[in-house]
Amino acid sequence: MVNGKDIVITSRIRLARNLKNYKFPIKMSSEESNNIISNTNEAMNHSGLKFKLIYMKDLSELDKNVLIEKHLISPALAENKHGGAILLSEDNKISIMINEEDHLRIQIIGTGMCLKECWEVANKVDDVLEEYLDYAFDKELGYITSCPTNIGTGMRASVMLHLPALSISNQTEKLLYGVSQLGVAVRGVYGEGTKSMGYLYQVSNQGTLGASEQTLIEKIEQIVWQIVDKEKRVREHMLKNNIDELEDEIYRAYGILTNARTIITDEAMKLLSYLKLGKEMDLIGKVKDKDLYELMVKIQPNSLLSTIDKDMTVKERDRKRAELIRNELLG
Amino acid sequence: MVNGKDIVITSRIRLARNLKNYKFPIKMSSEESNNIISNTNEAMNHSGLKFKLIYMKDLSELDKNVLIEKHLISPALAENKHGGAILLSEDNKISIMINEEDHLRIQIIGTGMCLKECWEVANKVDDVLEEYLDYAFDKELGYITSCPTNIGTGMRASVMLHLPALSISNQTEKLLYGVSQLGVAVRGVYGEGTKSMGYLYQVSNQGTLGASEQTLIEKIEQIVWQIVDKEKRVREHMLKNNIDELEDEIYRAYGILTNARTIITDEAMKLLSYLKLGKEMDLIGKVKDKDLYELMVKIQPNSLLSTIDKDMTVKERDRKRAELIRNELLG
């Protein structure tokens, strides 16, 4: 019934790479940054895959914020208005941020738990790039990165988890503290601090040095499955002991989401999270065929704005959000 | 669009009468109380109308509480387990409480503003009774009653009002204080104090002495129409200035009422009140043919219990209430 697949939303592998003979992006000239962009673009032409090259300078603030909300670029890249760019595959699953904190950040996103598969893709992209670019690599330290925390493999493996049961029962703080002792960072995906909007959390390795990529990935996987197991056990406990309250909360969430005329992101995320929980626990059948995580992304402020032509006030946006949710859930 | 009829729910005339040569109910023997019951019953046999005689001693606590929730008997009558009784017409519109605080309390209930019509019926019932019973009447004081506040006409005229707009905008306290200066009492119908459950208020005359029944009724009518007018003006102001918020609140109320799996009386009353407001302001079409006031009465704790065979815990009752509301609104 409750399924690990439902709890693990996405997996992501990110490799930080830098080139020899160039300053780090924070200090480089626009000539240097343009060089890196065109060399990287050229290198990827040999990959056999189609990539779109997008310069940060060509994007509006809104466009950039949408890409951030979709986790395709980082806020740091968006801020590099002069030298920042991204190479994006057609399916949005492979992206190479150019001139973010590091010269290159190869990022692979996949659905569910698929760190190993993402790593394989990342590794191939890395091989293509390495063939044409001159990486900064030290035999002892590994890949040289702008921030020392990334030195070594330069790899960050992260997994996005939906943890409503642990959150509702106030067990996230303790759990997150526990895993941070194991060299793993956990943070909210949307919103600030440990009280994440929509109970979505990102789990990732903190260190990148002193272990192989495979070892790091296995460690993250192991910890993620432990967290997933805890979330499942709390769900089972709720089914046994609080099913009435839970069912009520979930139906109320559905009632509000399908009727509200105005709704802010925070409330919508919380209610969608309840609904997702209810769907996965077979407590509500009405949303069986709905991708609720996708809807969570769609209702983010900038993603929502991007679907509309005209400028909207916050109030209009909150009405539009309510309308979008009604249409998606009832449509 | 907004209609006085929607705001004035019911009218009620109550006449307090006592018989010569009997002690007041609080002090009388069971022989005396039985005498009064049988004499009154006999007198009403001459009215041409069918009445059911119900002894308080034959009713369970639940039965009595249901009658209280329906405003057919008072808590004081329910407490007179030995000598209390009621004569109830088939349509529940005429009731004669016997051995409440006074020997007789003739009560006529009608829908909407109909104090005059209720008074005419009460007057006829009073005439029938007077023909066969010996009323305690003083030429100067009028009808003698157990409590001095009822002396004179012995009449209480009351009107039940639904005042959601005044309540939501926090204007009831001030208004209610204002009318109390005019010799008119206002109290919540369900719940305690001025924060009435479901924003239902009862307006009635405080004095019964020194004015004719017609004058008292006209005064109450006049004050009621003033309050109704204020409620209407606040609704119009809301339509102009807060229509978005109001529409949202009303649809959310509908969403919760049609989806909640458990709901307490207080919340249900508030949400039904919003929905009634929305219906009357043409903001929601989904409840066009629903009698929401009737539903407000049905979901009261004892009325709800009376529809079920078995004993229920509070938790089960709250689930049953939610189910009843869903069925009524979606059926």
Side-chain angles (χ1 to χ4, degrees):
Chain A
M1 178 209 48
V2 178
N3 188 316
K5 258 187 177 172
D6 296 326
I7 296 167
V8 182
I9 309 263
T10 54
S11 299
R12 188 155 51 131
I13 291 287
R14 195 215 62 200
L15 303 179
R17 297 291 183 258
N18 287 280
L19 307 185
K20 266 184 202 161
N21 310 320
Y22 285 95
K23 296 193 191 88
F24 282 125
I26 198 165
K27 297 207 161 187
M28 64 171 40
S29 69
S30 62
E31 203 193 327
E32 282 180 298
S33 61
N34 282 330
N35 264 348
I36 294 180
I37 294 170
S38 58
N39 291 346
T40 308
N41 189 27
E42 228 166 87
M44 286 313 291
N45 281 338
H46 299 278
S47 70
L49 291 166
K50 273 201 174 166
F51 283 87
K52 205 162 49 178
L53 175 63
I54 305 163
Y55 289 87
M56 289 305 113
K57 67 175 174 357
D58 294 340
L59 295 180
S60 67
E61 285 305 307
L62 177 60
D63 292 335
K64 286 190 281 191
N65 287 331
V66 171
L67 292 175
I68 292 172
E69 283 173 359
K70 293 184 173 167
H71 309 292
L72 293 172
I73 68 170
S74 64
L77 183 71
E79 270 165 37
N80 187 353
K81 287 167 199 165
H82 306 295
I86 184 178
L87 278 167
L88 192 60
S89 71
E90 277 185 317
D91 61 2
N92 283 355
K93 289 195 172 162
I94 309 175
S95 64
I96 301 165
M97 291 194 278
I98 307 172
N99 299 325
E100 201 239 26
E101 195 181 285
D102 295 296
H103 293 143
L104 302 178
R105 290 205 159 176
I106 304 162
Q107 183 176 267
I108 317 295
I109 304 182
T111 306
M113 174 61 96
C114 59
L115 285 176
K116 279 175 193 143
E117 293 84 341
C118 289
W119 159 244
E120 279 165 26
V121 176
N123 207 17
K124 278 181 199 157
V125 172
D126 192 38
D127 286 348
V128 171
L129 289 171
E130 202 161 18
E131 208 174 314
Y132 299 93
L133 303 173
D134 207 0
Y135 278 169
F137 183 82
D138 179 277
K139 281 206 172 132
E140 262 179 49
L141 289 173
Y143 292 100
I144 306 299
T145 54
S146 169
C147 175
T149 59
N150 292 321
I151 269 180
T153 61
M155 185 193 75
R156 180 139 295 158
S158 40
V159 176
M160 194 194 296
L161 298 175
H162 181 230
L163 305 175
L166 283 166
S167 305
I168 293 166
S169 58
N170 292 318
Q171 296 185 53
T172 38
E173 298 250 357
K174 202 179 123 201
L175 178 77
L176 305 190
Y177 178 75
V179 298
S180 76
Q181 305 297 93
L182 304 169
V184 164
V186 184
R187 56 181 182 78
V189 175
Y190 298 101
E192 300 281 305
T194 54
K195 274 271 170 204
S196 157
M197 260 196 219
Y199 309 132
L200 293 169
Y201 295 88
Q202 194 96 273
V203 178
S204 61
N205 60 310
Q206 276 182 311
T208 53
L209 188 66
S212 72
E213 289 87 347
Q214 280 82 352
T215 310
L216 285 172
I217 286 174
E218 271 160 26
K219 183 177 163 188
I220 290 287
E221 274 198 353
Q222 198 190 351
I223 290 172
V224 163
W225 288 129
Q226 279 175 20
I227 298 175
V228 167
D229 197 55
K230 285 222 166 76
E231 169 73 17
K232 277 193 202 172
R233 270 188 282 157
V234 180
R235 290 185 186 194
E236 275 152 26
H237 183 268
M238 283 175 163
L239 266 189
K240 255 196 210 153
N241 301 284
N242 307 92
I243 183 159
D244 286 354
E245 291 85 340
L246 191 63
E247 195 195 11
D248 182 54
E249 286 277 11
I250 287 160
Y251 272 90
R252 281 168 181 256
Y254 179 78
I256 293 171
L257 288 167
T258 52
N259 281 283
R261 259 51 193 167
T262 179
I263 196 161
I264 60 171
T265 315
D266 203 359
E267 187 190 6
M269 288 292 281
K270 187 183 156 191
L271 298 178
L272 284 170
S273 178
Y274 268 93
L275 202 53
K276 186 165 157 54
L277 175 66
K279 176 187 167 183
E280 289 158 14
M281 291 174 82
D282 288 332
L283 290 173
I284 188 163
K286 298 176 180 205
V287 288
K288 223 188 291 181
D289 56 339
K290 306 291 177 190
D291 186 337
L292 298 173
Y293 169 67
E294 195 184 56
L295 188 50
M296 285 180 173
V297 178
K298 275 189 190 168
I299 62 163
Q300 294 302 314
N302 295 291
S303 299
L304 188 73
L305 270 180
S306 72
T307 64
I308 320 293
D309 307 319
K310 61 180 183 96
D311 285 345
M312 283 199 291
T313 63
V314 171
K315 214 178 138 179
E316 287 168 327
R317 196 175 58 195
D318 291 342
R319 283 184 70 80
K320 207 75 203 169
R321 179 178 296 110
E323 191 189 317
L324 172 72
I325 293 171
R326 290 202 308 278
N327 290 343
E328 294 270 339
L329 293 183
L330 298 171
Chain B
M1 178 209 49
V2 179
N3 187 315
K5 258 187 177 173
D6 296 324
I7 297 167
V8 182
I9 310 262
T10 55
S11 299
R12 187 155 51 132
I13 291 287
R14 193 215 64 200
L15 302 179
R17 297 291 184 258
N18 287 281
L19 308 185
K20 266 184 203 160
N21 310 320
Y22 285 95
K23 295 193 192 85
F24 282 124
I26 196 165
K27 296 208 161 187
M28 63 172 39
S29 68
S30 63
E31 203 193 327
E32 282 181 298
S33 63
N34 281 330
N35 264 348
I36 294 180
I37 293 171
S38 59
N39 292 345
T40 308
N41 190 27
E42 227 166 87
M44 286 313 292
N45 281 339
H46 299 278
S47 70
L49 291 168
K50 273 201 172 167
F51 282 86
K52 205 162 48 178
L53 176 63
I54 305 164
Y55 289 88
M56 288 306 112
K57 66 175 175 359
D58 295 339
L59 296 180
S60 67
E61 284 305 306
L62 176 60
D63 291 336
K64 287 191 281 191
N65 287 331
V66 172
L67 292 174
I68 292 172
E69 283 173 1
K70 293 183 173 167
H71 309 292
L72 293 172
I73 67 170
S74 64
L77 184 70
E79 270 168 36
N80 187 352
K81 286 168 200 165
H82 305 296
I86 185 178
L87 279 165
L88 193 59
S89 70
E90 278 185 316
D91 61 1
N92 284 355
K93 288 196 172 161
I94 309 175
S95 64
I96 302 166
M97 289 194 278
I98 308 172
N99 300 325
E100 200 240 24
E101 194 180 287
D102 296 296
H103 293 142
L104 302 177
R105 290 206 159 174
I106 304 162
Q107 183 176 267
I108 318 294
I109 303 181
T111 305
M113 174 61 95
C114 59
L115 285 176
K116 280 174 192 142
E117 293 83 341
C118 289
W119 159 244
E120 279 164 26
V121 176
N123 208 16
K124 278 180 199 159
V125 173
D126 192 35
D127 287 347
V128 172
L129 289 171
E130 201 161 20
E131 209 175 311
Y132 299 93
L133 302 174
D134 208 1
Y135 277 171
F137 183 81
D138 178 278
K139 281 206 172 131
E140 263 181 47
L141 290 173
Y143 292 99
I144 306 300
T145 54
S146 169
C147 174
T149 57
N150 292 321
I151 269 179
T153 60
M155 187 193 77
R156 182 138 294 158
S158 41
V159 176
M160 194 196 294
L161 298 174
H162 182 230
L163 305 176
L166 282 166
S167 305
I168 294 165
S169 59
N170 292 319
Q171 295 185 54
T172 38
E173 297 250 356
K174 203 179 123 201
L175 179 78
L176 304 189
Y177 177 77
V179 299
S180 75
Q181 305 296 92
L182 303 168
V184 164
V186 185
R187 57 181 182 79
V189 174
Y190 298 101
E192 300 280 306
T194 53
K195 275 271 170 203
S196 158
M197 258 196 220
Y199 309 132
L200 293 169
Y201 294 88
Q202 194 96 274
V203 179
S204 62
N205 59 312
Q206 276 183 310
T208 54
L209 188 66
S212 71
E213 288 86 346
Q214 281 80 354
T215 311
L216 285 172
I217 286 173
E218 271 160 25
K219 185 177 160 186
I220 290 286
E221 275 198 351
Q222 200 189 349
I223 290 172
V224 163
W225 289 130
Q226 279 175 21
I227 298 176
V228 167
D229 198 55
K230 285 222 166 77
E231 169 74 17
K232 277 193 204 172
R233 271 189 282 158
V234 179
R235 291 185 185 194
E236 274 152 25
H237 183 268
M238 283 176 162
L239 266 189
K240 256 194 210 153
N241 301 285
N242 306 92
I243 183 158
D244 286 354
E245 289 86 339
L246 192 63
E247 197 196 10
D248 183 53
E249 286 277 11
I250 287 159
Y251 272 91
R252 280 168 180 256
Y254 179 80
I256 294 171
L257 288 167
T258 52
N259 282 284
R261 259 52 191 166
T262 179
I263 196 162
I264 59 171
T265 316
D266 203 359
E267 187 191 7
M269 288 293 280
K270 188 183 155 191
L271 298 178
L272 283 170
S273 178
Y274 268 93
L275 201 53
K276 186 164 156 55
L277 175 67
K279 175 188 166 182
E280 289 159 14
M281 290 173 83
D282 289 332
L283 290 173
I284 187 163
K286 299 177 180 203
V287 289
K288 222 188 291 179
D289 57 340
K290 306 291 176 189
D291 186 336
L292 298 174
Y293 169 67
E294 198 186 51
L295 188 50
M296 284 180 173
V297 178
K298 275 189 192 170
I299 61 161
Q300 294 302 314
N302 295 290
S303 300
L304 188 74
L305 270 181
S306 72
T307 63
I308 320 291
D309 308 318
K310 62 180 183 97
D311 286 345
M312 282 199 292
T313 63
V314 172
K315 214 178 139 180
E316 287 169 327
R317 197 174 59 197
D318 291 342
R319 283 184 70 82
K320 206 75 203 168
R321 180 179 296 110
E323 189 188 318
L324 172 72
I325 294 172
R326 291 202 307 277
N327 290 343
E328 293 270 338
L329 293 182
L330 298 171

